[in-house]
Amino acid sequence: MQVRLKFGIDQLLFGMKQNDVQERYGKPDKQFKDDDDNVIFVYNTKQLRLTFYDDEDLRLGYIISSNSELTLFDKLVINSTVEEVKKQLELHQIKSWEIEEFDLTENHFNENNWLILQSEFGRITKVEIGAVIKNEDDFDWKFKA
């Protein structure tokens, strides 16, 4: 499952609607609304959590995954060390990181690509990517219906 920064993961593109996702992946294993009335789809076997933003006409805007087959620039991500992945990303001019620590968990955030590498014990356990903003008011939706 390829992570395509600013675009999505695998067959998923930022800007898709719920029916677009279900055409590709079928009905989610779980569906609910979060505190902001965003719709969340969960696909257990793919280890995907998808957020459709309520205030953006329910477009896919955020993806979280722990799938062991996730790749970034053809390199596996999950269970790799943070240093290995950051070194690979530097080759693609991704160098700026903000780090937040929560007990055992560290979030390594790159704002330009809206990418979070979450790690525990020095190994990446989760990847989060979001749609990026193209100007002050609009997301850069990649899916064109």
Side-chain angles (χ1 to χ4, degrees):
M1 292 182 68
Q2 183 181 9
V3 176
R4 293 177 297 148
L5 299 175
K6 301 181 182 180
F7 283 83
I9 291 178
D10 195 33
Q11 299 176 46
L12 303 172
L13 288 173
F14 292 123
M16 284 180 158
K17 300 287 196 118
Q18 295 169 57
N19 62 328
D20 299 313
V21 171
Q22 288 186 44
E23 285 174 9
R24 287 155 180 83
Y25 288 168
K27 184 179 176 191
D29 296 297
K30 186 175 185 179
Q31 178 177 337
F32 60 94
K33 287 189 177 187
D34 66 12
D35 294 340
D36 297 319
D37 283 331
N38 298 317
V39 173
I40 310 298
F41 278 13
V42 177
Y43 289 93
N44 292 332
T45 57
K46 292 196 176 290
Q47 292 185 293
L48 288 170
R49 181 188 191 273
L50 312 177
T51 302
F52 298 88
Y53 293 151
D54 178 58
D55 59 355
E56 292 293 331
D57 199 27
L58 292 173
R59 293 178 194 265
L60 175 62
Y62 204 77
I63 304 170
I64 300 173
S65 182
S66 294
N67 190 304
S68 62
E69 296 176 13
L70 280 182
T71 60
L72 256 170
F73 300 108
D74 299 322
K75 301 289 184 187
L76 289 173
V77 179
I78 301 300
N79 209 31
S80 297
T81 67
V82 174
E83 293 77 22
E84 289 170 334
V85 173
K86 283 184 174 180
K87 186 176 179 181
Q88 179 67 25
L89 292 172
E90 278 187 32
L91 299 174
H92 299 275
Q93 307 309 311
I94 301 170
K95 300 177 182 181
S96 173
W97 298 94
E98 296 173 34
I99 301 171
E100 292 180 297
E101 295 184 28
F102 314 93
D103 191 28
L104 291 177
T105 304
E106 289 182 353
N107 281 348
H108 300 259
F109 175 59
N110 175 267
E111 186 174 5
N112 290 338
N113 293 285
W114 212 264
L115 168 68
I116 296 174
L117 304 173
Q118 190 174 96
S119 67
E120 290 184 359
F121 302 105
R123 300 246 173 217
I124 296 172
T125 57
K126 189 183 298 179
V127 174
E128 301 183 23
I129 64 169
V132 296
I133 306 224
K134 66 179 173 182
N135 58 45
E136 290 181 20
D137 299 320
D138 299 313
F139 283 96
D140 185 11
W141 300 122
K142 299 302 184 181
F143 183 75
K144 308 299 181 208

